Amino acid sequence: MGTWNEGAFDNDDASDFIDDLAEAPDWRTVIQMLDHVTKSAGYLEAPEGQMAVAAAAIVAAAVGDVAILPDDRRDLKAALGAPPQGAVALARSALARVVAPASELDELWQEGDDHDAWLTQIAALQTTLSASQ
């Protein structure tokens, strides 16, 4: 797991996800990732979890504080516009799935000393998403 911090975009998979989205801004990309993760009944692999957290953070930035996004990607909020109906609920569900049992990402964070800090980041995203409903 190429991770350098606990933030939503502080890993290789999330960074690649937002970079690809910046090249072709489209809410469908975000929604597809969130939908895939929420419908995942089996073991959720870490890369999918990291991209789901990034996708949820993009929704949170669109409905809340743009500072959630990396400095060089804050223009994505304007490029995407308002998220489609249901995106906030889907983002909240995806975040819940990422911290649920059978999530490799959560397991990997539990192995280190920063699990609580990572959970705090997830909770902050959930709070931003909840405030918009």
Side-chain angles (χ1 to χ4, degrees), residues 2 5 8-9 14 39 51 60 62 72 78 81-83 97 101 104 110 126 128 133:
N5 212 335
F9 301 100
K39 291 180 179 173
M51 289 185 287
D72 63 338
R97 174 66 180 95
E104 182 183 30
Q110 287 180 38
Q126 287 282 30
T128 299
Q133 289 186 327

Side-chain angles (χ1 to χ4, degrees), residues 50-65:
Q50 290 173 319
M51 289 185 287
V53 171
I58 290 165
V59 174
V63 298
D65 187 2

Side-chain angles (χ1 to χ4, degrees), residues 33-55:
M33 176 51 62
L34 295 171
D35 191 53
H36 169 74
V37 168
T38 58
K39 291 180 179 173
S40 174
Y43 191 72
L44 182 65
E45 300 291 335
E48 293 171 310
Q50 290 173 319
M51 289 185 287
V53 171

Side-chain angles (χ1 to χ4, degrees), residues 12-22 29-30 33 51 54-55 58:
D12 292 333
D13 293 309
S15 183
D16 290 346
F17 181 81
I18 197 168
D19 288 347
D20 291 345
L21 186 63
T29 303
V30 176
M33 176 51 62
M51 289 185 287
I58 290 165

Side-chain angles (χ1 to χ4, degrees), residues 54-125:
I58 290 165
V59 174
V63 298
D65 187 2
V66 73
I68 293 169
L69 299 175
D71 292 342
D72 63 338
R73 294 293 179 223
R74 292 196 177 153
D75 59 338
L76 194 55
K77 181 175 179 174
L80 286 169
Q85 186 172 2
V88 170
L90 193 58
R92 294 187 74 222
S93 294
L95 289 173
R97 174 66 180 95
V98 168
V99 298
S103 168
E104 182 183 30
L105 185 57
D106 188 57
E107 290 173 6
L108 291 170
W109 278 105
Q110 287 180 38
E111 292 174 3
D113 296 331
D114 297 324
H115 187 244
D116 288 341
W118 178 70
L119 287 175
T120 298
Q121 294 294 319
I122 299 296
L125 291 174

